[in-house]
Amino acid sequence: MLYDHVADLDCRIDDYELERFERDTSSGFTRVSTVVVLHGAGETGRGEDVTYETDAHDAFHVNGDDLDVAGEYTLDSFSERVGELDLFFGDEPDQDVFRNYRRWAFESAALDLALKQAETNLAARLDREYDPVRFVVSTRLGDPPTGERVLDWLERDPDLEFKLDPTSDWTDEVVDRLAATDAVRVLDLKGQYHGTTVDQEADPELYERVVDGFPDALIEDPELNDETRPLFDGVEGVADRVTWDYPIRGVETVENLPWEPEWLNIKPSRFGSVESLLDTLEYCRERGVDCYGGGQFELDVGREHLHAFASTFYPDSPNDVAPGAYNDPDPDGDLPTSPLSPPTDPRGLRWH
């Protein structure tokens, strides 16, 4: 089992602190995240909480400075300890998955710390190697959508690839314009989101437009109902392009999908625990399910953690893990290009 490679890592925690980050994004909202910083035995481990509610981060910094986490652990026993804590201090988060996001901040920080205390890194501990990471750029098209934003990016770097979020106001002309670039690798229909700012209701006309218009792109998170399911389920050349993101939080959620997938979007924070993430990756490997990484507008070390897992498990996939500068409202300067070179002397879970 993959998890067995890290479960027994010793992890000494002397104390911890919280760091708050904030940045405007290219998607038009202000992102706030919290980094959990664990100190122990002269080393520091960091993990990022990507909860999508500013108020939840504010409350974390007010109430989260006295958690009982100091002690001598293995990574596995620390995971058990974190699972016992109420990391939202009696409040109910707006979405249940936010509990996983915050737990992941502690678990990834502990994994980072334990690997450093053992003087190793993620790939080495798992008997694997870090490989260059291919990435795609995730962007929306603006209002109204024209495709100009993608063309502007390609003028800057003709080799860029993209993950886009189709909406019902995409016209045939927009689809044709984008398809002609041959640079769109993933289309996120957002059909599994409900009650969020990015919801996109099931739209059979939109679904058919993008399925036909981008015959080689992955189609992420459709909402399946009586009108839309016939476009995907059992359709040769289409069903095997359907990939899932929002529902994926562990092996059980993969088994509960409408059909056995060919592709999955892996966002480590959604899993909450290191064990759940590694068990799911192993499940996918055993069944030949291809994976690619996904991001959540990480502002600090969380982005590097995505690179580390992508580099270890799915480096050649269309990973939605472009360096953070690509999420700035007005990126300037020389941006990193794909693929990202692995670090020459990695330590812990950091990847730089």
Side-chain angles (χ1 to χ4, degrees):
M1 299 289 288
L2 276 175
Y3 182 60
D4 292 341
H5 289 261
V6 297
D8 62 352
L9 279 168
D10 291 326
C11 183
R12 172 183 160 184
I13 299 173
D14 298 326
D15 55 31
Y16 75 97
E17 58 186 309
L18 305 177
E19 297 179 357
R20 188 180 192 274
F21 291 83
E22 182 174 324
R23 184 190 302 165
D24 291 335
T25 71
S26 59
S27 293
F29 74 101
T30 299
R31 182 59 159 128
V32 175
S33 73
T34 296
V35 170
V36 174
V37 186
L38 302 178
H39 301 287
E43 298 285 1
T44 297
R46 299 171 66 87
E48 189 166 357
D49 171 15
V50 295
T51 295
Y52 281 94
E53 291 293 337
T54 298
D55 289 347
H57 289 285
D58 293 341
F60 192 13
H61 286 266
V62 170
N63 300 311
D65 59 356
D66 195 28
L67 291 169
D68 184 14
V69 295
E72 300 275 356
Y73 301 94
T74 62
L75 185 70
D76 189 59
S77 66
F78 180 76
S79 175
E80 292 179 5
R81 176 60 185 144
V82 172
E84 297 168 350
L85 299 175
D86 177 9
L87 299 177
F88 283 83
F89 316 102
D91 293 332
E92 190 63 31
D94 288 355
Q95 297 181 44
D96 184 62
V97 71
F98 291 172
R99 294 190 181 277
N100 284 9
Y101 295 170
R102 187 155 294 173
R103 178 171 182 168
W104 177 254
F106 280 91
E107 292 225 7
S108 58
L111 177 58
D112 185 31
L113 179 62
L115 290 168
K116 288 176 179 175
Q117 290 176 348
E119 299 184 354
T120 189
N121 61 72
L122 177 68
R125 186 70 185 190
L126 297 178
D127 294 328
R128 303 173 76 94
E129 294 183 355
Y130 284 141
D131 290 318
V133 174
R134 171 190 174 197
F135 68 81
V136 300
V137 174
S138 181
T139 184
R140 292 207 159 198
L141 298 190
D143 186 18
T146 63
E148 195 66 33
R149 185 172 294 178
V150 169
L151 297 181
D152 288 345
W153 272 117
L154 288 172
E155 186 174 343
R156 184 170 181 168
D157 180 353
D159 295 324
L160 283 177
E161 301 175 292
F162 297 89
K163 175 180 180 287
L164 304 178
D165 299 348
T167 57
S168 293
D169 51 0
W170 278 30
T171 63
D172 288 336
E173 290 75 19
V174 169
V175 170
D176 290 344
R177 191 179 196 191
L178 293 170
T181 68
D182 194 29
V184 178
R185 301 293 172 252
V186 185
L187 294 154
D188 185 358
L189 296 176
K190 300 290 186 187
Q192 297 297 311
Y193 290 84
H194 301 285
T196 75
T197 59
V198 298
D199 290 10
Q200 166 60 49
E201 65 181 22
D203 181 341
E205 291 185 4
L206 171 67
Y207 285 14
E208 188 168 13
R209 188 174 296 129
V210 299
V211 166
D212 293 344
F214 301 92
D216 298 317
L218 298 178
I219 308 296
E220 185 173 285
D221 276 2
E223 181 179 356
L224 303 179
N225 57 31
D226 291 343
E227 291 183 284
T228 62
R229 186 165 187 142
L231 298 172
F232 303 100
D233 193 357
V235 179
E236 185 176 357
V238 177
D240 58 359
R241 291 196 285 132
V242 173
T243 177
W244 305 94
D245 167 23
Y246 187 75
I248 306 306
R249 307 180 191 181
V251 170
E252 182 179 356
T253 60
V254 180
E255 294 176 333
N256 288 338
L257 290 173
W259 59 81
E260 187 171 341
E262 297 287 337
W263 285 90
L264 291 178
N265 184 341
I266 299 295
K267 291 181 176 173
S269 56
R270 290 213 202 281
F271 294 82
S273 71
V274 174
E275 181 176 17
S276 179
L277 172 60
L278 292 181
D279 284 354
T280 305
L281 289 172
E282 188 161 42
Y283 177 94
C284 290
R285 183 179 63 183
E286 291 173 349
R287 287 159 179 78
V289 179
D290 290 314
C291 298
Y292 59 100
Q296 305 217 64
F297 291 95
E298 296 83 6
L299 302 183
D300 190 64
V301 70
R303 205 68 174 181
E304 289 186 31
H305 292 176
L306 300 184
H307 296 156
F309 279 100
S311 181
T312 305
F313 291 102
Y314 30 85
D316 299 321
S317 295
N319 295 294
D320 181 19
V321 298
Y326 281 89
N327 291 327
D328 290 343
D330 296 302
D332 55 15
D334 293 328
L335 296 174
T337 58
S338 178
L340 300 172
S341 298
T344 56
D345 188 23
R347 295 185 72 249
L349 195 53
R350 296 294 297 264
W351 199 87
H352 69 279

